[in-house]
Amino acid sequence: MSSELNEYLESVLTDLGGLGRYQFILTLVVLGSKATVAWSVLMMAFGGVMPDWSCEWHTESGEPFMSNVTFDKKCSLENTTEKLDCVSRKFDESMNTIVSEWDLVCDQYWIVSSITTIQMFGLLIGAFVSGHVGDFFITESYRWLISHGRIEEAYEVMIKIAKMNGRSPPNKQKLIDMVNLNEHVAKEKKYTLIDILRNKHLLKVTALLSFTWVSCGYGFYAISFGVAQLSGNLYLNMALLGLMESTSFVVCYFANCIGRKKSSFVFFLLSGITGITVGIVQFLDLSNEGALINGLALTCKLCVACGWMALIIFTSELYPTVVRNIGFGFNNTMSRVGSMIAPQLIFVSYRIPGIMFLLLGGLFIMSAFCLLLLKETNNLALKNTINDFTLPVKQNESLKTVDESETLFSEKCK
């Protein structure tokens, strides 16, 4: 799609009110649906917690072994001359989880992390499918419709947005004339992931983004599902983690001021540094480390959430309109790979303290440098078709370069 048509469509968005009532309502609907999903996704952060428990030990002859002594969370006893059996376990009655319900401790505790991994696998399938079918079950943007040659439908969408935002719709004939001048408006075609992988530029973008999305999925859910490893009240800690996540929307301001790439890079780097620090503290097993670990873990969660928010914006703008849902859906699928790994590392971290956060830190530092290989998209017109990446750049190209857009917008944010 030509730069002239791209610029025209950008100006249409401004004339229709920019971020107006229509966009605000659409955002509320999307975020509202995500709130209910979060309840089910994070259920295992509570349902899989191991309550305090103790075991009643008997000798082979059936006699109680040191019945006046409590052995908290002991799967076996050392330094005994007799073979002992745990005849029953008593769980703390103040907390009822699947662990206490099904006696999932000791050699059965791996089942808890496996349940969470299976749950994340379900989300992986959903993310992949939704990326392909999303263009048939959601209201198409006028940009997507124009890129598929569906001009009449695109204009109807413009009228709808204009009406809700209290603006006048654009001139229909001018829209038709601008489209007719463009040689790269695609005819109706069903795009798939194969179309992305066939394009060298999009293949590189997808490979780099996939790694960063795996890191985000792992980091976000490792901290959330590992909340039981923090000191203090479980419910307060989860509320604080949620508060850190809710403040991540402030990153939208930074993404507009300094750019999507820089915002993602900074927060990814901070995520890596704080994650590695938590891992080292846990491994060293320092005295009075509880408050320190909690503070660093909360900071890490904030940075992960902010970095992921900026990455979501960045990812959406790196793909052309015709395959944007597919590209975003694929990367969302890759994030579920990370979230499937997270419960297993939480399980391992009970035996190797710090391993979960050390891996988190390493992944985010590598992801930060992967972003440096991608081009900034801030303040640039969105690409509409795959052919746009192969069009020659004209010397009188009116679209701003990355450096120019960053400078102009930085001045606005002062």
Side-chain angles (χ1 to χ4, degrees):
M1 189 174 289
S2 68
S3 61
E4 291 81 4
L5 181 56
N6 252 333
E7 285 185 323
Y8 173 71
L9 294 179
E10 292 290 329
S11 67
V12 167
L13 179 60
T14 302
D15 295 339
L16 292 176
L19 183 58
R21 185 184 305 165
Y22 175 86
Q23 288 79 9
F24 185 71
I25 293 175
L26 187 63
T27 301
L28 285 181
V29 171
V30 173
L31 294 181
S33 64
K34 292 182 68 175
T36 56
V37 173
W39 295 339
S40 61
V41 170
L42 294 178
M43 184 277 295
M44 285 299 292
F46 301 103
V49 173
M50 181 188 296
D52 291 332
W53 60 274
S54 59
C55 201
E56 181 182 344
W57 296 95
H58 282 196
T59 63
E60 287 187 292
S61 60
E63 295 294 324
F65 177 79
M66 300 180 68
S67 58
N68 61 332
V69 178
T70 301
F71 301 99
D72 290 331
K73 295 185 177 180
K74 294 288 187 180
C75 295
S76 61
L77 296 180
E78 300 177 355
N79 300 324
T80 61
T81 57
E82 299 182 79
K83 182 180 179 181
L84 303 175
D85 295 317
C86 179
V87 296
S88 64
R89 292 187 180 90
K90 183 178 181 181
F91 289 89
D92 183 357
E93 296 181 355
S94 65
M95 181 180 292
N96 185 28
T97 68
I98 64 170
V99 176
S100 58
E101 185 72 18
W102 298 327
D103 197 20
L104 302 180
V105 296
C106 298
D107 59 346
Q108 299 295 312
Y109 191 58
W110 63 270
I111 297 177
V112 177
S113 59
S114 297
I115 290 174
T116 310
T117 295
I118 293 172
Q119 180 188 19
M120 292 297 106
F121 178 74
L123 293 178
L124 182 151
I125 299 298
F128 181 78
V129 173
S130 63
H132 281 75
V133 303
D135 295 329
F136 309 111
F137 289 93
I138 62 174
T139 301
E140 294 90 347
S141 68
Y142 64 79
R143 182 184 288 273
W144 186 90
L145 291 167
I146 289 174
S147 66
H148 282 74
R150 295 159 63 176
I151 312 304
E152 291 293 331
E153 294 176 63
Y155 190 70
E156 291 297 322
V157 174
M158 292 179 182
I159 294 176
K160 180 179 179 181
I161 297 175
K163 183 178 180 180
M164 293 191 68
N165 287 348
R167 298 296 184 96
S168 299
N171 184 282
K172 183 177 181 181
Q173 188 58 49
K174 183 177 181 181
L175 171 64
I176 295 174
D177 292 341
M178 290 295 296
V179 172
N180 289 337
L181 289 174
N182 183 74
E183 300 176 354
H184 297 277
V185 172
K187 300 300 181 182
E188 185 65 25
K189 175 185 176 181
K190 184 177 180 180
Y191 288 89
T192 66
L193 181 61
I194 301 299
D195 294 292
I196 294 177
L197 301 181
R198 283 175 177 171
N199 184 277
K200 291 183 179 180
H201 172 78
L202 291 179
L203 177 60
K204 171 191 170 183
V205 168
T206 302
L208 293 171
L209 286 177
S210 295
F211 184 81
T212 61
W213 276 77
V214 169
S215 301
C216 287
Y218 170 78
F220 185 90
Y221 288 104
I223 300 174
S224 298
F225 288 133
V227 63
Q229 296 188 12
L230 302 180
S231 62
N233 184 273
L234 170 67
Y235 305 103
L236 176 60
N237 288 337
M238 180 57 80
L240 290 174
L241 289 176
L243 180 63
M244 295 297 103
E245 180 185 351
S246 63
T247 57
S248 65
F249 284 97
V250 73
V251 80
C252 296
Y253 174 80
F254 292 105
N256 284 335
C257 287
I258 66 174
R260 287 78 161 105
K261 184 167 77 170
K262 287 183 180 178
S263 298
S264 302
F265 176 81
V266 169
F267 284 113
F268 277 17
L269 203 59
L270 290 175
S271 299
I273 294 172
T274 52
I276 290 176
T277 305
V278 174
I280 292 174
V281 174
Q282 287 184 332
F283 181 77
L284 295 178
D285 195 20
L286 304 175
S287 59
N288 301 320
E289 65 180 15
L292 177 60
I293 290 177
N294 281 19
L296 289 171
L298 288 173
T299 304
C300 187
K301 178 63 179 293
L302 172 63
C303 294
V304 169
C306 288
W308 202 353
M309 179 66 68
L311 182 66
I312 288 173
I313 302 173
F314 195 25
T315 300
S316 299
E317 296 177 345
L318 282 169
Y319 287 98
T321 304
V322 292
V323 292
R324 185 164 294 124
N325 277 344
I326 296 174
F328 189 89
F330 177 77
N331 285 289
N332 195 11
T333 300
M334 296 305 297
S335 75
R336 304 308 167 186
V337 174
S339 63
M340 288 173 61
I341 298 172
Q344 303 305 318
L345 266 295
I346 295 172
F347 174 71
V348 174
S349 65
Y350 281 102
R351 291 168 170 76
I352 309 176
I355 186 65
M356 181 189 79
F357 276 99
L358 288 173
L359 179 59
L360 182 154
L363 286 174
F364 272 93
I365 288 177
M366 288 189 289
S367 295
F369 287 99
C370 282
L371 294 176
L372 296 180
L373 301 177
L374 297 172
K375 293 183 178 180
E376 178 61 82
T377 60
N378 186 35
N379 242 22
L380 296 178
L382 296 175
K383 301 291 187 181
N384 289 297
T385 67
I386 295 179
N387 289 333
D388 289 348
F389 292 107
T390 60
L391 291 176
V393 179
K394 301 176 183 178
Q395 287 191 342
N396 61 347
E397 185 80 51
S398 58
L399 283 176
K400 295 180 289 295
T401 64
V402 174
D403 292 337
E404 290 172 335
S405 64
E406 288 179 353
T407 303
L408 290 172
F409 214 99
S410 296
E411 293 176 354
K412 294 181 182 180
C413 294
K414 289 181 180 179

